[in-house]
Amino acid sequence: MPNKVKVLVVGDINGKGARNAFALFLPKLKEKYKINDIKVIPFSDFTYILQFQHLNSTHKKILKFFPAAIKNANFVIDKGEFAFLVGSSGSGKTTLLRCLNFLETPDEGTIIVSDKEIFNANDKKKKTDAQIRENRLHFGLVFQSFNLFPQYTVLKNLILAKELIEAKKANGMSKKEIIENAMSLLERVGLAEKADFYPCQLSGGQQQRVAIARALTLSPDILCFDEPTSA
């Protein structure tokens, strides 16, 4: 049960896309979490576990055809708080999540997690792959299309990244401990019996639950969902 809820609106808060999102999304949110007081604020007006400052991102290769994907994004999310990002298709929601996970690099701005600045566009020193991987560990991302590895079983999808990380530690978790942790997460999402199944053998909703369990495997500070109601 969330103790705070913010709804972040990308684009015009009175636009058609936002109105449609509110009409479909907010009643479900209120019913599911029994919340009556929901704070709706324009995305650009958000000024702590996560903080964005003046974040801008453009798709450089197609900039001549499309405007900026993210323009001057500013907001703060407190620890224990749920934040919902709504807006019309193409308004930059996925791009924002990709910037958080260093799958895309913002052109301007800063990203701060728990008082630690993990990105500053003014810092021209290129981060190493190891630094990028370390910064990514703050976030768990459930992709819109789930992005499970089709060649691996459900269990292997969960333990793959954890095994690679723990193998580099002096006193990392054993494979047995990693599997036990993964099975515990599968139990939490009701899919322990599907551990040896492949993604193609699961329904869309089951694949999404596997993706959630996988995102939780690395114990992220912040869990991000792209289109969480898609399945």
Side-chain angles (χ1 to χ4, degrees):
M1 182 76 70
N3 51 39
K4 293 182 181 179
V5 172
K6 287 177 184 172
V7 178
L8 318 180
V9 182
V10 176
D12 182 4
I13 195 169
N14 295 310
K16 182 179 179 180
R19 291 200 305 271
N20 289 343
F22 292 156
L24 294 171
F25 176 72
L26 293 189
K28 292 181 180 179
L29 183 64
K30 289 181 178 180
E31 180 181 358
K32 183 176 180 61
Y33 293 109
K34 310 301 181 186
I35 298 170
N36 294 317
D37 185 18
I38 298 179
K39 195 174 186 180
V40 180
I41 301 176
F43 183 69
S44 59
D45 286 358
F46 262 90
T47 24
Y48 159 9
I49 191 170
L50 173 65
Q51 182 176 357
F52 274 47
Q53 294 178 343
H54 307 296
L55 203 69
N56 290 276
S57 179
T58 58
H59 298 301
K60 293 182 177 67
K61 293 181 180 179
I62 56 173
L63 183 58
K64 62 183 293 186
F65 302 108
F66 293 97
I70 303 173
K71 188 174 182 181
N72 199 31
N74 292 274
F75 66 86
V76 174
I77 298 175
D78 298 320
K79 187 174 182 179
E81 187 173 57
F82 280 37
F84 296 85
L85 181 63
V86 299
S88 58
S89 179
S91 58
K93 303 184 298 295
T94 296
T95 300
L96 176 62
L97 296 181
R98 288 177 63 83
C99 286
L100 274 181
N101 287 270
F102 292 86
L103 299 174
E104 293 193 24
T105 304
D107 303 302
E108 299 175 347
T110 60
I111 301 174
I112 302 168
V113 177
S114 299
D115 291 329
K116 178 185 177 183
E117 184 178 86
I118 65 171
F119 174 80
N120 188 330
N122 292 325
D123 183 3
K124 301 304 180 183
K125 185 178 178 181
K126 186 177 180 180
K127 291 187 180 296
T128 65
D129 290 342
Q131 288 174 320
I132 291 174
R133 285 194 296 269
E134 182 181 355
N135 287 335
R136 280 178 178 157
L137 292 176
H138 290 291
F139 303 94
L141 176 59
V142 179
F143 293 92
Q144 183 172 348
S145 55
F146 314 137
N147 289 11
L148 299 176
F149 295 110
Q151 71 273 34
Y152 296 138
T153 64
V154 165
L155 180 60
K156 185 66 174 179
N157 265 276
L158 262 67
I159 68 174
L160 182 60
K162 188 69 170 178
E163 282 185 313
L164 293 173
I165 291 172
E166 294 299 324
K168 295 180 180 180
K169 297 179 180 179
N171 296 301
M173 293 173 64
S174 66
K175 185 167 184 177
K176 180 182 178 182
E177 291 173 319
I178 293 171
I179 291 175
E180 288 176 350
N181 179 61
M183 289 302 299
S184 175
L185 290 170
L186 286 176
E187 184 72 39
R188 287 176 63 183
V189 297
L191 290 175
E193 75 283 0
K194 304 289 186 182
D196 294 324
F197 282 49
Y198 286 86
C200 65
Q201 297 174 294
L202 305 178
S203 69
Q206 289 173 331
Q207 289 183 35
Q208 186 179 51
R209 282 186 278 159
V210 172
I212 293 170
R214 181 178 65 177
L216 290 170
T217 301
L218 301 180
S219 302
D221 300 313
I222 301 159
L223 192 57
C224 305
F225 293 82
D226 194 356
E227 299 288 355
T229 60
S230 62

